[in-house]
């Protein structure tokens, strides 16, 4: 991987445990880090974000090599992993911290994100009105260390086994067939 030409993208698609785990399996992704963006408090804690009062979303910041995986491919994975038609929730996870959001770094990336939303809409994968926010990136606060790689460390935790595990299996089946996953 060419570390001189890495790019970053930050987005939220519900609980970051699942999103982070999946992106870390992709070829061309150097890291996917769980954290918080979009709020008004510096260095928020998980407990503070869970109240919904800080304005942050649970997000994943992905560092990737565009020569191996494209922005468009990352967007396809993003829209595969969550339902962009659910306002401030994903399944039973309810609150603004679970909103669908893409944080863009510049106008060119904003245009690519808007195009990715249109491509996803045209795919017919999700029925309903898309509520994915496009928001200018400001700050990213890494989540506490115990959130990093949470699923891998806690696969039998009830939420992980009931919600995250099945989503990861569906992800693996689909993206393995496309040849996008790292060798295990």
């Amino acid at each position: 991987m060419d570390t001189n030409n890495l790019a970053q993208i930050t987005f939220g698609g519900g609980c970051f445990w699942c999103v982070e785990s999946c992106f870390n399996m992709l070829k061309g992704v150097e890291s996917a880090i769980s954290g918080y963006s979009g709020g008004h408090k510096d260095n928020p804690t998980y407990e503070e974000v869970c109240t919904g009062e800080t304005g942050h979303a649970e997000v994943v910041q992905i560092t990737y090599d565009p020569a191996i995986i494209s922005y468009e491919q990352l967007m396809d994975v993003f829209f595969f992993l969550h339902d962009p038609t659910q306002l401030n929730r994903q399944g039973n996870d309810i609150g603004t911290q679970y909103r669908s959001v893409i944080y863009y770094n510049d106008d060119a990336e904003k245009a690519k994100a808007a195009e990715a939303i249109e491509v996803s809409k045209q795919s017919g994968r999700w029925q309903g009105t898309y509520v994915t926010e496009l928001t200018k990136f400001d700050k990213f606060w890494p989540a506490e260390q115990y959130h990093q790689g949470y699923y891998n460390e806690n696969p039998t935790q009830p939420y992980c086994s009931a919600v995250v595990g099945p989503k990861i299996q569906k992800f693996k089946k689909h993206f393995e067939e496309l040849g996008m996953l790292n060798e295990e």
Side-chain angles (χ1 to χ4, degrees):
M1 191 173 296
D2 183 358
T3 57
N4 292 323
N5 293 313
L6 296 179
Q8 281 191 327
I9 183 171
T10 305
F11 44 62
C15 176
F16 48 37
W17 293 343
C18 173
V19 177
E20 176 229 310
S21 294
C22 291
F23 277 96
N24 273 319
M25 293 181 212
L26 293 170
K27 291 178 184 175
V29 171
E30 180 179 277
S31 67
I33 300 172
S34 293
Y36 317 107
S37 286
H40 54 78
K41 182 182 187 310
D42 287 350
N43 205 23
T45 66
Y46 180 70
E47 290 74 20
E48 291 170 330
V49 171
C50 283
T51 68
E53 295 178 14
T54 68
H56 292 87
E58 285 192 18
V59 299
V60 175
Q61 187 168 75
I62 297 162
T63 302
Y64 68 100
D65 184 342
I68 300 172
I69 189 166
S70 69
Y71 182 91
E72 292 76 13
Q73 288 173 305
L74 292 170
M75 286 287 104
D76 185 48
V77 173
F78 172 67
F79 286 114
F80 181 89
L81 290 175
H82 83 293
D83 182 345
T85 69
Q86 292 188 346
L87 182 62
N88 297 328
R89 71 178 300 159
Q90 284 299 299
N92 291 328
D93 295 330
I94 300 171
T96 57
Q97 68 270 27
Y98 301 115
R99 66 188 177 269
S100 176
V101 57
I102 301 168
Y103 292 97
Y104 61 87
N105 293 300
D106 55 34
D107 288 341
E109 199 171 88
K110 181 180 181 182
K112 287 185 352 182
E115 176 64 22
I117 291 170
E118 289 306 312
V119 168
S120 182
K121 285 179 183 178
Q122 296 303 316
S123 77
R125 184 180 290 154
W126 302 105
Q127 301 303 307
T129 303
Y130 276 53
V131 294
T132 303
E133 297 175 10
L134 285 177
T135 303
K136 176 82 168 130
F137 178 80
D138 183 26
K139 292 182 180 164
F140 171 78
W141 304 100
E144 295 81 351
Q145 188 57 43
Y146 73 91
H147 288 295
Q148 309 306 329
Y150 189 86
Y151 175 77
N152 292 341
E153 298 297 322
N154 303 281
T156 60
Q157 188 262 13
Y159 181 87
C160 288
S161 61
V163 177
V164 181
K167 190 179 275 194
I168 289 174
Q169 292 309 311
K170 180 180 170 187
F171 162 83
K172 285 170 99 174
K173 181 179 182 332
H174 181 76
F175 288 96
E176 190 170 57
E177 289 173 1
L178 296 175
M180 293 177 62
L181 301 185
N182 288 315
E183 301 296 322
E184 290 189 40

